[in-house]
Amino acid sequence: MNGLWIALGFVVLLVVFSDIFLATMNYREKAFLHPSVCALAWMGMRRVFCRLPEVARRRAFQQVIGIQILLVLLVWLVGTVLGYGLIFFGAMNSFEVSGPGLEPGLSAAFYYSFAQLATVGSSQLTPASDVLRVLSIMVTFSGLAGVGLVIAFLLENFQVLRDLSRLSAIFSNLTPATATSDTPVRCVALYYPRGRPVGLDNHLLALYEAFTSYSDGLQRHHLVYWARCPDGASSLAYPLHVLGGVIGALRWGLPSGTPGSDHPLLYQLENAFEKFIVFLTKSKGWSLGQAPNAVDMDSFAAVTAGRETPDIWLARFLSLENNMAAVARIAGVKDLHGSYARYREWLPFAYQAQRITEAVSRDLDNQPFPIR
């Protein structure tokens, strides 16, 4: 039986140390223990928080990321103490116990495990074998190493939070409360003051750097996914909505050759956005479905000429195209075939962008993100 407790302790330590290593030392690997614990905790917190009044609810959601980080640290601490404690319990007959109020047993094993991990030790329990002395030293070093790993873990998570805040700050002039389907166009319009792009290079570069940095960080530290601020601007749903719309507006809302529509950073940003959608849907187990079929050329031409259409995606594209033409001050006869080709390319991207935004919004707050 003693050997069974020792083996069980080593298994617990293997699981906990593997999770800590993957979370803090291995860049692309996903930790497997604490993300599952945090996801279950989030489900419970969301059930409770969504029942609160609006003001209290928003404040409660601000605390989610802090609670999740504390929960991760608690899981690691309890797991480490539990693993070493089980090993010491299995080898308790090799300890010398002295002092009042302490008897050989499970509580004494956990007490010694925690005392060694905290690097303060215990004078009431003394290992009587070389193997246990070496193991006691390993526990002490685990405590010292754990402090450094925890600091690194906290700093990296806060860096990802800063990346999300930086990405959201780019769209800070447009608040989530007033978000509509044409919000991205209004964001783009800021960089076309006289129908020509001004400062668009720096804007796209800032978007690309902030988004790719956040995306890379999220793939390593999944619990940052639940971060949010009171107005929702720094939760993930709003930046996804605006960023996807900005890419669509510049890539397909303007005729080819229009200044800004063929910027190299725009293609890189589109590629990074699509990779992020693949990562998020895979990690969450979501299925976004297939984009609706594009209308044929004759129907497209008829709607362009003024006929009403029940196809909301076609109506959205034509509205986007008209709005972007006004932003870039494009006049003259429309290239119908070029417009139709852009519509067919835009449709799958726009559909995926809206579906991932809605999925993230529901997952984070149980409230669909408004697309009006």
Side-chain angles (χ1 to χ4, degrees), residues 101-140:
L102 190 64
E103 298 293 336
L106 196 59
S107 61
F110 287 148
Y111 167 72
Y112 183 76
S113 173
F114 185 80
Q116 290 298 123
L117 191 66
T119 71
V120 298
S122 173
S123 60
Q124 295 177 288
L125 285 167
T126 305
S129 68
D130 291 338
V131 174
L132 285 176
R133 293 189 187 99
V134 172
L135 186 61
S136 299
I137 295 172
M138 290 176 57
V139 180
T140 303

Side-chain angles (χ1 to χ4, degrees), residues 239-259:
L240 278 181
H241 164 60
V242 183
L243 180 60
V246 166
I247 296 171
L250 287 171
R251 279 278 285 115
W252 298 287
L254 294 171
S256 299
T258 304

Side-chain angles (χ1 to χ4, degrees), residues 4-333:
L4 179 60
W5 290 118
I6 293 173
L8 181 59
F10 276 114
V11 170
V12 172
L13 288 177
L14 178 62
V15 171
V16 173
F17 288 168
S18 297
D19 192 68
I20 295 174
F21 174 78
L22 294 176
T24 59
M25 302 295 290
N26 198 330
Y27 183 69
R28 283 295 181 184
E29 290 292 336
K30 176 184 176 182
F32 57 90
L33 176 61
H34 75 263
S36 300
V37 174
C38 289
L40 292 174
W42 161 251
M43 293 173 61
M45 285 188 287
R46 188 174 68 176
R47 284 179 177 272
V48 174
F49 294 164
C50 285
R51 299 176 184 274
L52 298 174
E54 182 64 23
V55 175
R57 176 172 165 269
R58 287 187 298 178
R59 290 179 178 175
F61 274 118
Q62 291 180 69
Q63 314 308 319
V64 167
I65 186 64
I67 295 172
Q68 299 285 43
I69 290 177
L70 289 176
L71 183 60
V72 170
L73 301 182
L74 182 61
V75 167
W76 288 346
L77 175 61
V78 171
T80 304
V81 172
L82 176 64
Y84 281 121
L86 291 174
I87 295 173
F88 291 139
F89 177 64
M92 187 54 64
N93 58 350
S94 298
F95 276 92
E96 295 178 1
V97 181
S98 62
L102 190 64
E103 298 293 336
L106 196 59
S107 61
F110 287 148
Y111 167 72
Y112 183 76
S113 173
F114 185 80
Q116 290 298 123
L117 191 66
T119 71
V120 298
S122 173
S123 60
Q124 295 177 288
L125 285 167
T126 305
S129 68
D130 291 338
V131 174
L132 285 176
R133 293 189 187 99
V134 172
L135 186 61
S136 299
I137 295 172
M138 290 176 57
V139 180
T140 303
F141 276 111
S142 297
L144 294 172
V147 172
L149 291 175
V150 165
I151 291 175
F153 176 77
L154 293 175
L155 290 177
E156 289 176 356
N157 274 276
F158 290 142
Q159 178 59 52
V160 183
L161 288 172
R162 283 195 294 269
D163 291 334
L164 178 59
S165 297
R166 184 157 58 103
L167 179 63
S168 301
I170 297 175
F171 309 121
S172 61
N173 59 301
L174 303 169
T175 62
T178 61
T180 62
S181 59
D182 67 341
T183 295
V185 175
R186 289 188 284 133
C187 184
V188 171
L190 298 174
Y191 299 92
Y192 280 79
R194 292 174 295 277
R196 304 287 295 179
V198 177
L200 185 63
D201 289 2
N202 292 333
H203 178 62
L204 292 177
L205 180 60
L207 280 177
Y208 180 77
E209 290 179 343
F211 181 70
T212 53
S213 182
Y214 171 76
S215 176
D216 289 344
L218 186 62
Q219 292 182 53
R220 184 176 179 184
H221 299 292
H222 289 232
L223 65 89
V224 182
Y225 167 78
W226 288 289
R228 60 177 291 120
C229 284
D231 61 357
S234 289
S235 63
L236 181 56
Y238 181 67
L240 278 181
H241 164 60
V242 183
L243 180 60
V246 166
I247 296 171
L250 287 171
R251 279 278 285 115
W252 298 287
L254 294 171
S256 299
T258 304
S261 65
D262 296 324
H263 198 288
L265 275 174
L266 192 57
Y267 292 91
Q268 296 182 43
L269 193 57
E270 176 197 349
N271 184 54
F273 190 84
E274 290 176 340
K275 286 183 177 179
F276 183 77
I277 292 178
V278 172
F279 152 71
L280 203 55
T281 53
K282 183 178 179 180
S283 64
K284 292 292 183 179
W286 294 336
S287 176
L288 302 182
Q290 295 295 322
N293 294 326
V295 302
D296 57 38
M297 181 63 188
D298 292 338
S299 299
F300 183 85
V303 174
T304 302
R307 192 180 74 183
E308 294 186 0
T309 175
D311 190 317
I312 60 172
W313 291 99
L314 176 56
R316 278 185 58 187
F317 174 78
L318 294 177
S319 175
L320 171 68
E321 190 177 49
N322 290 334
N323 289 336
M324 288 302 296
V327 167
R329 301 185 183 181
I330 299 174
V333 180

